[in-house]
Amino acid sequence: MSSVAPEQSSPEIRTLAERVFQELQDAIVRGELAPGSKITEPGLSKTYGISRGPLREAMRRLEAHRLIERVPHVGARVVKLSMKELLELFDVREALESMAARLAAEHMTAEEIAGLRDVLALHERQADLRKGEAYFQREGDLDFHYRIVQGSHNRMLMTMLCDDLYYLVRLYRTQFSASGTRPQRAFVEHHRIVDAIEAGDAELAELLMRRHVSASRANVVDRYAAVLDEQQAEATS
Protein backbone atom coordinates (compact mmCIF):
# COMPACT_ATOMS: atom_id res chain seq x y z
CA MET A 1 0.00 0.00 0.00
CA SER A 2 1.42 3.36 -0.99
CA SER A 3 1.55 6.32 1.35
CA VAL A 4 1.45 10.06 0.69
CA ALA A 5 3.90 12.39 2.43
CA PRO A 6 2.26 14.94 4.74
CA GLU A 7 3.67 17.80 2.68
CA GLN A 8 1.86 16.65 -0.46
CA SER A 9 -1.66 17.84 -1.14
CA SER A 10 -4.13 17.84 -3.98
CA PRO A 11 -4.73 20.92 -6.17
CA GLU A 12 -8.17 21.27 -4.57
CA ILE A 13 -6.72 21.38 -1.06
CA ARG A 14 -4.05 23.87 -2.13
CA THR A 15 -6.70 26.11 -3.70
CA LEU A 16 -8.82 25.99 -0.54
CA ALA A 17 -5.76 26.58 1.61
CA GLU A 18 -4.83 29.64 -0.48
CA ARG A 19 -8.32 31.09 -0.08
CA VAL A 20 -8.31 30.53 3.67
CA PHE A 21 -4.78 31.90 3.98
CA GLN A 22 -5.84 35.10 2.20
CA GLU A 23 -8.96 35.49 4.35
CA LEU A 24 -7.11 34.86 7.61
CA GLN A 25 -4.24 37.08 6.58
CA ASP A 26 -6.63 39.98 5.85
CA ALA A 27 -8.44 39.38 9.14
CA ILE A 28 -5.14 39.52 11.05
CA VAL A 29 -3.80 42.55 9.19
CA ARG A 30 -7.03 44.48 9.69
CA GLY A 31 -7.19 43.54 13.38
CA GLU A 32 -10.35 41.44 13.10
CA LEU A 33 -8.27 38.68 14.69
CA ALA A 34 -6.60 40.66 17.46
CA PRO A 35 -2.86 40.43 18.25
CA GLY A 36 -2.27 37.78 20.88
CA SER A 37 -5.69 36.15 20.42
CA LYS A 38 -5.81 32.37 20.52
CA ILE A 39 -6.91 30.55 17.38
CA THR A 40 -7.95 26.93 17.12
CA GLU A 41 -8.44 24.59 14.20
CA PRO A 42 -12.00 23.62 15.26
CA GLY A 43 -12.99 27.28 15.59
CA LEU A 44 -11.49 28.31 12.25
CA SER A 45 -12.86 25.20 10.55
CA LYS A 46 -16.36 26.15 11.70
CA THR A 47 -15.96 29.82 10.75
CA TYR A 48 -14.63 29.16 7.25
CA GLY A 49 -16.48 25.93 6.59
CA ILE A 50 -13.54 23.84 5.49
CA SER A 51 -11.88 20.61 6.53
CA ARG A 52 -8.77 20.39 8.68
CA GLY A 53 -6.41 19.54 5.77
CA PRO A 54 -6.64 22.88 3.89
CA LEU A 55 -6.82 24.74 7.21
CA ARG A 56 -3.59 23.20 8.48
CA GLU A 57 -1.85 24.11 5.24
CA ALA A 58 -3.12 27.71 5.52
CA MET A 59 -1.95 27.89 9.14
CA ARG A 60 1.49 26.61 8.21
CA ARG A 61 1.74 29.49 5.73
CA LEU A 62 0.58 32.00 8.31
CA GLU A 63 3.23 30.70 10.71
CA ALA A 64 5.91 30.88 8.00
CA HIS A 65 4.90 34.50 7.37
CA ARG A 66 5.16 35.25 11.12
CA LEU A 67 1.48 36.11 11.48
CA ILE A 68 0.76 33.33 13.96
CA GLU A 69 3.00 31.62 16.47
CA ARG A 70 2.89 28.38 18.42
CA VAL A 71 3.10 28.83 22.18
CA PRO A 72 3.89 25.83 24.42
CA HIS A 73 0.87 24.72 26.48
CA VAL A 74 -1.25 27.42 24.82
CA GLY A 75 -1.44 26.56 21.13
CA ALA A 76 -1.57 28.88 18.13
CA ARG A 77 -2.18 32.58 18.55
CA VAL A 78 -1.98 35.71 16.44
CA VAL A 79 1.46 37.25 16.72
CA LYS A 80 1.86 40.13 19.16
CA LEU A 81 5.16 41.99 19.23
CA SER A 82 6.48 43.64 22.36
CA MET A 83 7.41 47.32 22.15
CA LYS A 84 11.08 46.32 21.93
CA GLU A 85 10.38 43.90 19.06
CA LEU A 86 8.28 46.52 17.27
CA LEU A 87 11.08 49.09 17.49
CA GLU A 88 13.56 46.54 16.18
CA LEU A 89 11.26 45.76 13.26
CA PHE A 90 11.05 49.44 12.29
CA ASP A 91 14.80 49.86 12.67
CA VAL A 92 15.23 47.09 10.10
CA ARG A 93 12.60 48.68 7.86
CA GLU A 94 14.27 52.07 7.97
CA ALA A 95 17.67 50.66 7.05
CA LEU A 96 16.56 48.26 4.34
CA GLU A 97 13.74 50.25 2.72
CA SER A 98 15.89 53.37 2.43
CA MET A 99 18.50 51.21 0.71
CA ALA A 100 15.78 49.84 -1.58
CA ALA A 101 14.71 53.39 -2.51
CA ARG A 102 18.31 54.30 -3.37
CA LEU A 103 18.65 51.25 -5.60
CA ALA A 104 15.22 51.86 -7.15
CA ALA A 105 16.37 55.34 -8.23
CA GLU A 106 19.29 53.67 -9.97
CA HIS A 107 17.52 50.70 -11.51
CA MET A 108 13.76 51.21 -11.93
CA THR A 109 12.63 51.33 -15.54
CA ALA A 110 10.27 53.97 -16.91
CA GLU A 111 7.57 51.30 -17.12
CA GLU A 112 8.04 50.35 -13.46
CA ILE A 113 7.88 53.99 -12.37
CA ALA A 114 4.69 54.47 -14.39
CA GLY A 115 3.24 51.43 -12.63
CA LEU A 116 4.19 52.94 -9.29
CA ARG A 117 2.34 56.14 -10.14
CA ASP A 118 -0.67 54.08 -11.21
CA VAL A 119 -0.70 52.49 -7.77
CA LEU A 120 -0.68 55.93 -6.10
CA ALA A 121 -3.50 57.08 -8.39
CA LEU A 122 -5.49 54.04 -7.28
CA HIS A 123 -4.76 54.78 -3.62
CA GLU A 124 -5.85 58.39 -4.03
CA ARG A 125 -9.34 57.21 -4.98
CA GLN A 126 -9.75 55.17 -1.79
CA ALA A 127 -12.60 56.37 0.40
CA ASP A 128 -10.67 55.78 3.63
CA LEU A 129 -7.77 57.96 2.49
CA ARG A 130 -10.07 60.73 1.26
CA LYS A 131 -11.73 60.82 4.67
CA GLY A 132 -8.33 60.83 6.37
CA GLU A 133 -9.28 57.72 8.33
CA ALA A 134 -6.76 55.21 7.02
CA TYR A 135 -4.45 54.29 4.18
CA PHE A 136 -5.01 50.59 3.63
CA GLN A 137 -2.95 49.05 0.84
CA ARG A 138 -3.61 45.68 -0.70
CA GLU A 139 -0.66 43.34 -0.74
CA GLY A 140 1.90 42.75 -3.45
CA ASP A 141 1.80 44.89 -6.57
CA LEU A 142 -0.88 47.16 -5.06
CA ASP A 143 1.42 48.02 -2.15
CA PHE A 144 3.65 51.08 -2.65
CA HIS A 145 6.48 49.78 -0.46
CA TYR A 146 6.42 46.35 -2.11
CA ARG A 147 6.80 48.02 -5.52
CA ILE A 148 9.78 50.06 -4.34
CA VAL A 149 11.57 46.97 -3.07
CA GLN A 150 10.85 45.12 -6.30
CA GLY A 151 12.20 48.14 -8.18
CA SER A 152 15.51 47.85 -6.36
CA HIS A 153 16.22 44.76 -8.49
CA ASN A 154 18.14 43.39 -5.52
CA ARG A 155 17.23 39.75 -4.86
CA MET A 156 18.42 39.74 -1.26
CA LEU A 157 16.30 42.78 -0.36
CA MET A 158 13.30 41.28 -2.13
CA THR A 159 13.63 38.06 -0.14
CA MET A 160 13.88 39.89 3.18
CA LEU A 161 11.26 42.61 2.62
CA CYS A 162 8.80 40.98 0.20
CA ASP A 163 8.80 37.55 1.80
CA ASP A 164 10.42 37.06 5.22
CA LEU A 165 9.20 40.24 6.94
CA TYR A 166 6.53 41.51 4.56
CA TYR A 167 3.35 40.35 6.26
CA LEU A 168 4.51 41.24 9.74
CA VAL A 169 5.50 44.75 8.62
CA ARG A 170 2.20 45.14 6.78
CA LEU A 171 0.25 44.12 9.87
CA TYR A 172 1.71 46.83 12.11
CA ARG A 173 1.83 49.41 9.33
CA THR A 174 -1.88 48.92 8.68
CA GLN A 175 -3.14 48.71 12.26
CA PHE A 176 -1.09 51.44 13.89
CA SER A 177 0.03 53.98 11.29
CA ALA A 178 -3.39 55.14 10.17
CA SER A 179 -4.39 57.83 12.61
CA GLY A 180 -4.84 61.60 12.71
CA THR A 181 -3.29 63.30 9.70
CA ARG A 182 -0.73 60.55 9.15
CA PRO A 183 -2.52 58.76 6.26
CA GLN A 184 -2.62 61.88 4.09
CA ARG A 185 0.91 62.93 5.02
CA ALA A 186 2.17 59.44 4.20
CA PHE A 187 0.51 59.65 0.80
CA VAL A 188 2.24 62.97 0.04
CA GLU A 189 5.56 61.46 1.14
CA HIS A 190 5.01 58.57 -1.25
CA HIS A 191 4.69 61.01 -4.15
CA ARG A 192 7.90 62.79 -3.20
CA ILE A 193 9.77 59.51 -3.05
CA VAL A 194 8.56 58.58 -6.53
CA ASP A 195 9.61 62.01 -7.82
CA ALA A 196 13.14 61.41 -6.52
CA ILE A 197 13.25 57.92 -8.02
CA GLU A 198 12.03 59.18 -11.39
CA ALA A 199 14.68 61.92 -11.32
CA GLY A 200 17.31 59.27 -10.65
CA ASP A 201 18.32 61.05 -7.45
CA ALA A 202 19.42 58.05 -5.39
CA GLU A 203 20.62 60.08 -2.41
CA LEU A 204 17.36 62.01 -2.12
CA ALA A 205 15.23 58.89 -2.58
CA GLU A 206 17.12 57.18 0.23
CA LEU A 207 16.77 60.22 2.52
CA LEU A 208 13.04 60.63 1.86
CA MET A 209 12.33 56.95 2.45
CA ARG A 210 14.35 57.01 5.68
CA ARG A 211 12.35 60.03 6.92
CA HIS A 212 9.10 58.42 5.78
CA VAL A 213 9.70 55.16 7.67
CA SER A 214 10.98 57.09 10.70
CA ALA A 215 7.77 59.16 10.80
CA SER A 216 5.70 56.00 10.47
CA ARG A 217 7.73 54.40 13.26
CA ALA A 218 7.05 57.32 15.63
CA ASN A 219 3.35 57.23 14.84
CA VAL A 220 3.10 53.47 15.24
CA VAL A 221 4.94 53.56 18.57
CA ASP A 222 2.62 56.29 19.90
CA ARG A 223 -0.45 54.38 18.79
CA TYR A 224 0.83 51.09 20.15
CA ALA A 225 1.65 52.66 23.52
CA ALA A 226 -1.85 54.16 23.66
CA VAL A 227 -3.42 50.76 22.98
CA LEU A 228 -1.33 49.16 25.72
CA ASP A 229 -2.38 51.89 28.16
CA GLU A 230 -6.04 51.31 27.29
CA GLN A 231 -5.69 47.57 27.81
CA GLN A 232 -3.98 48.05 31.16
CA ALA A 233 -6.67 50.50 32.26
CA GLU A 234 -9.40 48.00 31.35
CA ALA A 235 -7.58 45.22 33.18
CA THR A 236 -7.40 47.25 36.41
CA SER A 237 -10.90 48.75 36.27
Side-chain angles (χ1 to χ4, degrees):
M1 184 172 69
S2 63
S3 62
V4 178
E7 291 78 9
Q8 294 177 333
S9 57
S10 69
E12 291 81 6
I13 288 178
R14 288 196 297 271
T15 300
L16 273 173
E18 174 64 25
R19 175 178 66 80
V20 177
F21 167 76
Q22 292 294 339
E23 291 184 18
L24 288 173
Q25 179 215 143
D26 277 352
I28 291 171
V29 168
R30 289 180 178 272
E32 294 163 9
L33 289 173
S37 61
K38 185 177 179 180
I39 54 177
T40 64
E41 287 184 9
L44 293 177
S45 181
K46 182 178 180 181
T47 300
Y48 292 91
I50 62 168
S51 62
R52 297 287 183 87
L55 178 57
R56 285 172 182 160
E57 188 169 325
M59 289 183 70
R60 281 196 294 269
R61 287 190 61 190
L62 290 168
E63 189 173 8
H65 287 306
R66 305 169 192 260
L67 291 180
I68 66 173
E69 56 188 358
R70 307 279 180 177
V71 182
H73 312 299
V74 175
R77 68 177 186 183
V78 178
V79 68
K80 182 177 182 180
L81 297 184
S82 66
M83 180 68 80
K84 181 177 184 292
E85 290 169 329
L86 186 60
L87 291 173
E88 290 174 349
L89 178 64
F90 270 84
D91 285 343
V92 171
R93 270 197 70 195
E94 185 176 332
L96 296 185
E97 289 197 35
S98 59
M99 183 191 304
R102 167 180 281 277
L103 293 173
E106 297 172 352
H107 300 297
M108 276 190 95
T109 65
E111 183 179 359
E112 288 174 322
I113 293 171
L116 193 53
R117 291 205 182 276
D118 288 342
V119 167
L120 290 181
L122 181 66
H123 292 173
E124 191 170 18
R125 294 194 293 272
Q126 291 179 191
D128 55 2
L129 181 61
R130 287 185 173 185
K131 295 176 183 177
E133 297 172 350
Y135 185 2
F136 179 77
Q137 301 179 54
R138 300 299 304 179
E139 66 180 285
D141 286 343
L142 296 180
D143 184 331
F144 173 82
H145 289 268
Y146 183 95
R147 287 267 192 154
I148 295 287
V149 177
Q150 292 288 318
S152 74
H153 294 197
N154 183 296
R155 285 288 174 188
M156 193 65 69
L157 278 177
M158 284 187 265
T159 297
M160 289 187 286
L161 292 174
C162 296
D163 189 5
D164 292 350
L165 296 175
Y166 178 70
Y167 292 93
L168 188 59
V169 167
R170 185 166 172 259
L171 186 162
Y172 279 89
R173 199 178 71 205
T174 300
Q175 290 188 21
F176 295 103
S177 66
S179 63
T181 61
R182 182 62 198 156
Q184 292 172 329
R185 286 189 288 115
F187 182 72
V188 171
E189 290 164 10
H190 284 178
H191 271 288
R192 290 173 178 166
I193 291 167
V194 178
D195 289 342
I197 289 172
E198 188 170 36
D201 192 333
E203 185 175 347
L204 180 59
E206 179 179 17
L207 175 64
L208 291 176
M209 181 62 82
R210 186 175 292 280
R211 288 177 176 172
H212 173 69
V213 176
S214 179
S216 178
R217 177 185 189 271
N219 195 70
V220 167
V221 168
D222 287 346
R223 285 273 293 155
Y224 189 58
V227 169
L228 290 179
D229 288 344
E230 289 172 7
Q231 292 174 343
Q232 290 173 355
E234 290 176 1
T236 56
S237 62

PDB file of all heavy atoms in Angstrom, residues 112-128:
ATOM      1  N   GLU A 112       8.254  50.637 -14.877  1.00  0.00           N
ATOM      2  CA  GLU A 112       8.045  50.350 -13.457  1.00  0.00           C
ATOM      3  C   GLU A 112       7.629  51.603 -12.696  1.00  0.00           C
ATOM      4  O   GLU A 112       6.765  51.550 -11.809  1.00  0.00           O
ATOM      5  CB  GLU A 112       9.317  49.768 -12.851  1.00  0.00           C
ATOM      6  CG  GLU A 112       9.611  48.339 -13.288  1.00  0.00           C
ATOM      7  CD  GLU A 112      10.955  47.836 -12.799  1.00  0.00           C
ATOM      8  OE1 GLU A 112      11.928  48.629 -12.786  1.00  0.00           O
ATOM      9  OE2 GLU A 112      11.045  46.661 -12.419  1.00  0.00           O
ATOM     10  N   ILE A 113       8.233  52.732 -13.031  1.00  0.00           N
ATOM     11  CA  ILE A 113       7.875  53.992 -12.368  1.00  0.00           C
ATOM     12  C   ILE A 113       6.448  54.387 -12.723  1.00  0.00           C
ATOM     13  O   ILE A 113       5.683  54.848 -11.860  1.00  0.00           O
ATOM     14  CB  ILE A 113       8.872  55.101 -12.760  1.00  0.00           C
ATOM     15  CG1 ILE A 113      10.260  54.780 -12.189  1.00  0.00           C
ATOM     16  CG2 ILE A 113       8.397  56.462 -12.241  1.00  0.00           C
ATOM     17  CD1 ILE A 113      11.364  55.685 -12.694  1.00  0.00           C
ATOM     18  N   ALA A 114       6.063  54.180 -13.982  1.00  0.00           N
ATOM     19  CA  ALA A 114       4.686  54.472 -14.394  1.00  0.00           C
ATOM     20  C   ALA A 114       3.710  53.591 -13.616  1.00  0.00           C
ATOM     21  O   ALA A 114       2.640  54.045 -13.183  1.00  0.00           O
ATOM     22  CB  ALA A 114       4.530  54.243 -15.892  1.00  0.00           C
ATOM     23  N   GLY A 115       4.081  52.333 -13.411  1.00  0.00           N
ATOM     24  CA  GLY A 115       3.239  51.428 -12.632  1.00  0.00           C
ATOM     25  C   GLY A 115       3.120  51.881 -11.185  1.00  0.00           C
ATOM     26  O   GLY A 115       2.060  51.758 -10.573  1.00  0.00           O
ATOM     27  N   LEU A 116       4.202  52.430 -10.652  1.00  0.00           N
ATOM     28  CA  LEU A 116       4.194  52.936  -9.286  1.00  0.00           C
ATOM     29  C   LEU A 116       3.253  54.127  -9.166  1.00  0.00           C
ATOM     30  O   LEU A 116       2.492  54.254  -8.195  1.00  0.00           O
ATOM     31  CB  LEU A 116       5.616  53.331  -8.890  1.00  0.00           C
ATOM     32  CG  LEU A 116       5.931  53.604  -7.426  1.00  0.00           C
ATOM     33  CD1 LEU A 116       5.498  52.445  -6.543  1.00  0.00           C
ATOM     34  CD2 LEU A 116       7.416  53.875  -7.257  1.00  0.00           C
ATOM     35  N   ARG A 117       3.262  54.990 -10.164  1.00  0.00           N
ATOM     36  CA  ARG A 117       2.342  56.142 -10.145  1.00  0.00           C
ATOM     37  C   ARG A 117       0.893  55.683 -10.316  1.00  0.00           C
ATOM     38  O   ARG A 117      -0.024  56.287  -9.740  1.00  0.00           O
ATOM     39  CB  ARG A 117       2.738  57.130 -11.240  1.00  0.00           C
ATOM     40  CG  ARG A 117       4.056  57.846 -10.969  1.00  0.00           C
ATOM     41  CD  ARG A 117       4.142  59.176 -11.681  1.00  0.00           C
ATOM     42  NE  ARG A 117       5.415  59.846 -11.469  1.00  0.00           N
ATOM     43  CZ  ARG A 117       5.696  60.597 -10.399  1.00  0.00           C
ATOM     44  NH1 ARG A 117       4.791  60.743  -9.443  1.00  0.00           N
ATOM     45  NH2 ARG A 117       6.866  61.196 -10.283  1.00  0.00           N
ATOM     46  N   ASP A 118       0.683  54.629 -11.072  1.00  0.00           N
ATOM     47  CA  ASP A 118      -0.674  54.082 -11.215  1.00  0.00           C
ATOM     48  C   ASP A 118      -1.198  53.585  -9.867  1.00  0.00           C
ATOM     49  O   ASP A 118      -2.376  53.752  -9.554  1.00  0.00           O
ATOM     50  CB  ASP A 118      -0.678  52.933 -12.232  1.00  0.00           C
ATOM     51  CG  ASP A 118      -0.515  53.408 -13.664  1.00  0.00           C
ATOM     52  OD1 ASP A 118      -0.741  54.604 -13.923  1.00  0.00           O
ATOM     53  OD2 ASP A 118      -0.169  52.564 -14.528  1.00  0.00           O
ATOM     54  N   VAL A 119      -0.318  52.975  -9.089  1.00  0.00           N
ATOM     55  CA  VAL A 119      -0.700  52.490  -7.766  1.00  0.00           C
ATOM     56  C   VAL A 119      -1.104  53.661  -6.875  1.00  0.00           C
ATOM     57  O   VAL A 119      -2.118  53.605  -6.166  1.00  0.00           O
ATOM     58  CB  VAL A 119       0.456  51.692  -7.117  1.00  0.00           C
ATOM     59  CG1 VAL A 119       0.198  51.469  -5.628  1.00  0.00           C
ATOM     60  CG2 VAL A 119       0.633  50.357  -7.820  1.00  0.00           C
ATOM     61  N   LEU A 120      -0.339  54.755  -6.913  1.00  0.00           N
ATOM     62  CA  LEU A 120      -0.679  55.928  -6.104  1.00  0.00           C
ATOM     63  C   LEU A 120      -1.997  56.553  -6.559  1.00  0.00           C
ATOM     64  O   LEU A 120      -2.783  57.037  -5.732  1.00  0.00           O
ATOM     65  CB  LEU A 120       0.452  56.957  -6.180  1.00  0.00           C
ATOM     66  CG  LEU A 120       1.752  56.569  -5.461  1.00  0.00           C
ATOM     67  CD1 LEU A 120       2.779  57.693  -5.593  1.00  0.00           C
ATOM     68  CD2 LEU A 120       1.508  56.246  -3.993  1.00  0.00           C
ATOM     69  N   ALA A 121      -2.241  56.543  -7.872  1.00  0.00           N
ATOM     70  CA  ALA A 121      -3.502  57.075  -8.390  1.00  0.00           C
ATOM     71  C   ALA A 121      -4.676  56.231  -7.879  1.00  0.00           C
ATOM     72  O   ALA A 121      -5.743  56.770  -7.543  1.00  0.00           O
ATOM     73  CB  ALA A 121      -3.476  57.093  -9.911  1.00  0.00           C
ATOM     74  N   LEU A 122      -4.459  54.932  -7.812  1.00  0.00           N
ATOM     75  CA  LEU A 122      -5.489  54.036  -7.277  1.00  0.00           C
ATOM     76  C   LEU A 122      -5.718  54.311  -5.797  1.00  0.00           C
ATOM     77  O   LEU A 122      -6.856  54.387  -5.332  1.00  0.00           O
ATOM     78  CB  LEU A 122      -5.059  52.584  -7.491  1.00  0.00           C
ATOM     79  CG  LEU A 122      -6.016  51.491  -7.008  1.00  0.00           C
ATOM     80  CD1 LEU A 122      -7.308  51.523  -7.817  1.00  0.00           C
ATOM     81  CD2 LEU A 122      -5.357  50.115  -7.122  1.00  0.00           C
ATOM     82  N   HIS A 123      -4.639  54.497  -5.052  1.00  0.00           N
ATOM     83  CA  HIS A 123      -4.758  54.778  -3.621  1.00  0.00           C
ATOM     84  C   HIS A 123      -5.508  56.084  -3.375  1.00  0.00           C
ATOM     85  O   HIS A 123      -6.283  56.197  -2.423  1.00  0.00           O
ATOM     86  CB  HIS A 123      -3.366  54.869  -2.983  1.00  0.00           C
ATOM     87  CG  HIS A 123      -2.641  53.560  -2.946  1.00  0.00           C
ATOM     88  ND1 HIS A 123      -1.325  53.441  -2.546  1.00  0.00           N
ATOM     89  CD2 HIS A 123      -3.046  52.299  -3.253  1.00  0.00           C
ATOM     90  CE1 HIS A 123      -0.964  52.169  -2.618  1.00  0.00           C
ATOM     91  NE2 HIS A 123      -1.972  51.464  -3.043  1.00  0.00           N
ATOM     92  N   GLU A 124      -5.241  57.068  -4.224  1.00  0.00           N
ATOM     93  CA  GLU A 124      -5.849  58.386  -4.034  1.00  0.00           C
ATOM     94  C   GLU A 124      -7.376  58.334  -4.114  1.00  0.00           C
ATOM     95  O   GLU A 124      -8.070  59.165  -3.520  1.00  0.00           O
ATOM     96  CB  GLU A 124      -5.313  59.365  -5.083  1.00  0.00           C
ATOM     97  CG  GLU A 124      -5.684  60.813  -4.815  1.00  0.00           C
ATOM     98  CD  GLU A 124      -4.948  61.774  -5.732  1.00  0.00           C
ATOM     99  OE1 GLU A 124      -4.429  61.327  -6.778  1.00  0.00           O
ATOM    100  OE2 GLU A 124      -4.880  62.968  -5.398  1.00  0.00           O
ATOM    101  N   ARG A 125      -7.891  57.344  -4.822  1.00  0.00           N
ATOM    102  CA  ARG A 125      -9.344  57.215  -4.981  1.00  0.00           C
ATOM    103  C   ARG A 125     -10.000  56.453  -3.830  1.00  0.00           C
ATOM    104  O   ARG A 125     -11.222  56.345  -3.781  1.00  0.00           O
ATOM    105  CB  ARG A 125      -9.662  56.512  -6.308  1.00  0.00           C
ATOM    106  CG  ARG A 125      -9.263  57.320  -7.539  1.00  0.00           C
ATOM    107  CD  ARG A 125      -9.881  56.762  -8.809  1.00  0.00           C
ATOM    108  NE  ARG A 125      -9.349  55.445  -9.170  1.00  0.00           N
ATOM    109  CZ  ARG A 125      -8.270  55.260  -9.924  1.00  0.00           C
ATOM    110  NH1 ARG A 125      -7.594  56.305 -10.389  1.00  0.00           N
ATOM    111  NH2 ARG A 125      -7.863  54.035 -10.222  1.00  0.00           N
ATOM    112  N   GLN A 126      -9.191  55.939  -2.904  1.00  0.00           N
ATOM    113  CA  GLN A 126      -9.752  55.174  -1.787  1.00  0.00           C
ATOM    114  C   GLN A 126     -10.562  56.075  -0.853  1.00  0.00           C
ATOM    115  O   GLN A 126     -10.109  57.155  -0.468  1.00  0.00           O
ATOM    116  CB  GLN A 126      -8.627  54.494  -0.982  1.00  0.00           C
ATOM    117  CG  GLN A 126      -7.930  53.385  -1.737  1.00  0.00           C
ATOM    118  CD  GLN A 126      -6.809  52.745  -0.935  1.00  0.00           C
ATOM    119  OE1 GLN A 126      -6.031  51.989  -1.479  1.00  0.00           O
ATOM    120  NE2 GLN A 126      -6.719  53.038   0.361  1.00  0.00           N
ATOM    121  N   ALA A 127     -11.717  55.585  -0.469  1.00  0.00           N
ATOM    122  CA  ALA A 127     -12.596  56.373   0.402  1.00  0.00           C
ATOM    123  C   ALA A 127     -11.959  56.618   1.765  1.00  0.00           C
ATOM    124  O   ALA A 127     -12.084  57.716   2.323  1.00  0.00           O
ATOM    125  CB  ALA A 127     -13.937  55.652   0.570  1.00  0.00           C
ATOM    126  N   ASP A 128     -11.246  55.605   2.301  1.00  0.00           N
ATOM    127  CA  ASP A 128     -10.670  55.784   3.635  1.00  0.00           C
ATOM    128  C   ASP A 128      -9.593  56.860   3.645  1.00  0.00           C
ATOM    129  O   ASP A 128      -9.476  57.638   4.593  1.00  0.00           O
ATOM    130  CB  ASP A 128     -10.121  54.464   4.181  1.00  0.00           C
ATOM    131  CG  ASP A 128      -9.115  53.794   3.243  1.00  0.00           C
ATOM    132  OD1 ASP A 128      -8.813  54.370   2.175  1.00  0.00           O
ATOM    133  OD2 ASP A 128      -8.630  52.699   3.575  1.00  0.00           O
TER     134      ASP A 128
END
